[in-house]
Amino acid sequence: MTENEKKLLQAKHRLEEAEMRDRQKERKARTRRLVQEGAILEKALPQTTQMTLEQLEDFLCEVFKPIR
C-alpha cells in the first residue's frame, strides 16, 4: 500500500467517524426533544400518564381531529 493510499484511507476513516459523531449528536438531540415534549404533555394533560401508548394515540387523534 502506497503512502497516498494510506492517506486516502485515513481521510476516509476520519470522514466516517465525523459522520458517526454527527448522527449520534442528532439522535441525542431528538431523544432529548422527545423527552421534553413528553414531559410537557404529561404536565398539560396529567390523565395521559395512566394511558397506554395506543390509548394516548387514540386520545390525541380524537382531540386534534380536523373539523370537516
Side-chain angles (χ1 to χ4, degrees), residues 37-38 41-42 44-45 47-48 51-66:
E37 289 173 354
L41 175 66
E42 285 183 355
L45 300 167
Q47 69 271 25
T48 61
M51 296 180 183
T52 65
L53 291 177
E54 186 176 294
Q55 291 169 331
L56 176 61
E57 181 180 5
D58 292 342
F59 171 75
L60 292 174
C61 287
E62 186 63 31
V63 169
F64 296 105
K65 185 183 344 182

Side-chain angles (χ1 to χ4, degrees), residues 16-27:
E16 288 172 353
E17 288 176 356
E19 289 171 347
M20 280 190 339
R21 282 191 303 271
D22 289 345
R23 283 193 302 272
Q24 187 175 19
K25 284 180 185 178
E26 290 171 6
R27 255 192 335 270

